[in-house]
Amino acid sequence: MRILLLFTIFISVILQGQSEREVDYIRKHAWMAVDEMHLYKIPASITLAQGILETGGGQSRLAEQANNHFGIKCKNEWTGPSITHDDDAVGECFRKYNSVKESYRDHSKFLAERPYYRKLFDLPLTDYKAWAHGLKKAGYATNPRYAHILISKIEGHKLNEFDVIEREQVYDKLVHLYGPVDRAMVDPDYKEVKIAASEPKTATKSVPQETKTMEVPKREISPRARVMRHPIGREYIVVNQGETLSQIARAYDISVEKLMDYNELNRPEELRANQFLFFAKKKNSGSKKFYKVEKGDNLYLIAQKNGIKMNQLLRRNRIDDTYKPEVGETMYLRGRKPRK
């Protein structure tokens, strides 16, 4: 019994690590997948799921040494650099790219320009299951369970939610699905660059150049592009770092008082970065029955994430507003927690 318990814990740890690697991969590459979707009409969910599967969450030899995220072999027409790798046979030729972006673009072109994938482009972008089975049928992979594995990745990480958004909404969607994330990791237009600033030189010795870091301004996102629809049917945004309630009110032509009422804020200063902010009243119950408490959660943030009124969250869990939920604890969003 003890051996079985230890084995179960061991497997659980492995699966948790795998899931974290995959989420990290999604955070790094979701913007590119959505960008390619709008250019080539390939579902972002399919691209991300293939990238996760083919690279083992970004850790495969092909990904690390050749920036090849989709296991694309050289084929006769390839004239670029290559790398040998054991796959269906020993020492097969695989394409090597200068960047991950090149790999994502070549993947899009690979599907779009080959006649045996042509029928896929008659499918809706939102039909990820048909795309997955179509890829397998067209011969993209030899694994008989390839389509089912892709679908499992998509549904496990809710990747299909990236199939219905614009590029500008990727950051907010990532925060919504997986929690806070460094914007510089997500948005290619938001990054740090280093410039050299020369110090005055004396006649007797030269002073080494000093490196200064400056931030490239991120691309402006229109207010409407930030708005997402919550599963409860209410529109909301994710609050940016340093953003105030009055700024949001002006941007969306709504009063501060209404925002406070809808989001159960006692003072404007209570607004927090990365929290959900609704533009209509929340509901008495969530869209699902349970919510598992995550690191950094408190009762208010749980209520906001799930679009449920605070008094209903308290009532359903038989607690008061002084209660401090623990990480991993199950909170009731529908029905009521049984009495002990």
Side-chain angles (χ1 to χ4, degrees), residues 138-199:
Y140 191 95
T142 57
N143 187 337
R145 297 195 65 254
Y146 189 76
H148 298 287
I149 296 172
L150 291 183
I151 292 169
S152 176
K153 298 292 184 189
I154 290 169
E155 294 179 346
H157 294 299
K158 300 181 180 179
L159 299 180
N160 54 301
E161 295 196 23
F162 292 99
D163 296 338
V164 293
I165 64 173
E166 302 295 326
R167 302 170 184 87
E168 294 81 7
Q169 295 174 293
V170 171
Y171 175 76
D172 284 348
K173 178 60 69 176
L174 287 168
V175 173
H176 174 201
L177 292 175
Y178 315 117
V181 58
D182 182 1
R183 187 183 285 273
M185 179 193 296
V186 175
D187 190 339
D189 293 335
Y190 186 91
K191 57 187 176 180
E192 288 188 342
V193 297
K194 292 185 176 181
I195 59 171
S198 299
E199 294 288 341

Side-chain angles (χ1 to χ4, degrees), residues 178-225:
Y178 315 117
V181 58
D182 182 1
R183 187 183 285 273
M185 179 193 296
V186 175
D187 190 339
D189 293 335
Y190 186 91
K191 57 187 176 180
E192 288 188 342
V193 297
K194 292 185 176 181
I195 59 171
S198 299
E199 294 288 341
K201 296 181 179 179
T202 64
T204 57
K205 66 176 182 178
S206 62
V207 179
Q209 285 187 331
E210 182 181 283
T211 301
K212 292 184 178 180
T213 301
M214 66 174 292
E215 191 177 88
V216 176
K218 66 179 183 296
R219 178 179 48 204
E220 288 297 321
I221 300 175
S222 69
R224 187 64 215 172

Side-chain angles (χ1 to χ4, degrees), residues 12 14 18 50 61-62 75-76 84 91 96 101 110 128 137 165-166 170 230-231 234 300 315 324 332 337 340:
S12 177
I14 291 176
Q18 177 183 334
Q50 285 191 284
R61 175 174 176 267
L62 285 177
K75 304 293 184 182
N76 293 332
T84 56
K96 186 175 183 179
K101 185 173 179 61
F110 188 86
Y128 62 87
K137 186 176 181 180
I165 64 173
E166 302 295 326
V170 171
H230 196 276
R234 299 288 190 262
Y300 178 72
R315 185 183 71 84
K324 298 186 184 301
Y332 279 68
K337 185 175 182 178
K340 292 183 179 179

Side-chain angles (χ1 to χ4, degrees), residues 87-147:
D87 190 50
D88 297 323
V90 176
E92 290 189 269
C93 180
F94 284 81
R95 301 183 182 190
K96 186 175 183 179
Y97 306 99
N98 294 319
S99 66
V100 177
K101 185 173 179 61
E102 281 188 18
S103 177
Y104 268 66
R105 177 56 49 83
D106 195 45
H107 169 261
S108 297
K109 295 172 69 175
F110 188 86
L111 296 183
E113 296 174 359
R114 279 166 171 72
Y116 35 91
Y117 296 120
R118 187 171 297 153
K119 289 184 178 180
L120 291 174
F121 292 87
D122 294 330
L123 299 170
L125 283 175
T126 53
D127 195 349
Y128 62 87
K129 291 183 179 180
W131 270 85
H133 287 291
L135 283 169
K136 176 63 185 76
K137 186 176 181 180
Y140 191 95
T142 57
N143 187 337
R145 297 195 65 254
Y146 189 76

Side-chain angles (χ1 to χ4, degrees), residues 223 246-256 258-259 279:
S246 59
Q247 289 172 336
I248 296 170
R250 286 195 300 272
Y252 292 94
D253 193 24
I254 186 173
S255 70
V256 170
K258 281 188 176 180
L259 286 176
F279 294 104

